[in-house]
Amino acid sequence: MSFPIVVLISGSGSNLQALINQSLQGQLNVTISAVISNKADAYGLERAREAGIPTHTLSHKAFDSREEFDAALQIIIDQYSPKLVVLAGFMRILSEGFATHYLGRMLNIHPSLLPKFKGLDTHQRAIDAREKEHGVSVHFVSPELDAGAVIIQAATLIENNDTADSLGNKIHALEHIIYPLAVRWFSEGRVTFHDGKALLDHKELPASGILYNNTLQ
């Protein structure tokens, strides 16, 4: 039986497309029950419609507070009874109540090697800090921003001629590999969340999660 998930987006939805592609190819045994965006012009909504996935738009601007928006969003999500909520470029800081409601069953992907460079503009910040490498992390969502238990990271070297855009392109390619992998692990029961920690195959992962290599299955 397929594993129901709901995906939240704010933009182009390239990670959503990676999930759709692997699902169609039989590499990922999930059903994307719905795609929800806080922006009506998010291209990811078109990707979802082309794949026959129900879509919803809920503008945060229509609400007086973060908590009111999150409460309305939660109602939409929960009508699909997902086993996992996937944040795929959902550009919202979540309220504590919302994050707690989905604790242990909501994933996010962040474009840095956490705990480095939480927040925005991570590619330029990594270049400005003269880092030798940069990367991306898939983690459980916690009430604290970009601080949940990390499942998997992937890294790439920062070249002397890299710009924020070129580095971002390399990071995107890695995102499209490790996010479906983490979702698959969760759907198969291999990745779990216990006492604030991420576990893979019942073994507690280090704080930085597991580092991706192409032998991981």
Side-chain angles (χ1 to χ4, degrees):
M1 185 175 179
S2 191
F3 189 91
I5 69 173
V6 167
V7 181
L8 308 187
I9 64 169
S10 293
S12 70
S14 65
N15 276 304
L16 167 65
Q17 190 67 59
L19 294 171
I20 291 172
N21 291 347
Q22 289 209 15
S23 179
L24 291 174
Q25 294 163 5
Q27 298 169 287
L28 188 59
N29 186 34
V30 302
T31 295
I32 303 175
S33 301
V35 172
I36 307 170
S37 177
N38 63 315
K39 295 186 177 181
D41 61 351
Y43 181 65
L45 292 171
E46 183 61 29
R47 295 181 191 269
R49 294 184 191 111
E50 289 179 359
I53 300 169
T55 63
H56 297 265
T57 300
L58 186 70
S59 175
H60 56 278
K61 296 179 180 179
F63 296 85
D64 292 332
S65 71
R66 190 179 308 279
E67 288 75 16
E68 287 178 337
F69 170 78
D70 285 358
L73 178 60
Q74 183 177 312
I75 289 171
I76 298 174
I77 294 170
D78 286 353
Q79 72 180 351
Y80 290 97
S81 301
K83 294 183 178 179
L84 179 67
V85 177
V86 177
L87 307 184
F90 187 60
M91 303 303 290
R92 292 284 301 164
I93 295 174
L94 304 175
S95 64
E96 182 175 355
F98 185 87
T100 300
H101 179 71
Y102 297 107
L103 189 64
R105 53 194 182 104
M106 181 161 59
L107 302 183
N108 183 47
I109 190 159
H110 181 74
S112 80
L113 295 172
L114 292 171
K116 292 182 177 180
F117 308 119
K118 298 177 182 180
L120 302 175
D121 302 319
T122 61
H123 310 319
Q124 189 61 54
R125 288 162 63 196
I127 292 171
D128 292 345
R130 300 187 181 278
E131 295 285 324
K132 294 182 179 180
E133 64 177 11
H134 186 44
V136 58
S137 307
V138 178
H139 64 95
F140 284 101
V141 175
S142 68
E144 185 181 348
L145 179 66
D146 298 330
V150 176
I151 298 166
I152 186 170
Q153 295 185 328
T156 186
L157 294 176
I158 300 178
E159 307 292 345
N160 290 334
N161 60 346
D162 265 327
T163 64
D165 286 341
S166 67
L167 190 54
N169 289 336
K170 291 194 285 187
I171 296 304
H172 271 127
L174 294 174
E175 290 179 5
H176 302 160
I177 296 171
I178 69 167
Y179 213 0
L181 182 59
V183 170
R184 177 162 65 80
W185 285 346
F186 189 95
S187 71
E188 294 172 347
R190 295 183 60 194
V191 160
T192 53
F193 181 84
H194 183 69
D195 287 342
K197 306 291 185 181
L199 287 73
L200 177 62
D201 297 331
H202 307 292
K203 297 178 181 178
E204 184 178 318
L205 291 170
S208 58
I210 189 170
L211 184 63
Y212 171 77
N213 65 67
N214 58 14
T215 66
L216 289 176
Q217 299 294 325

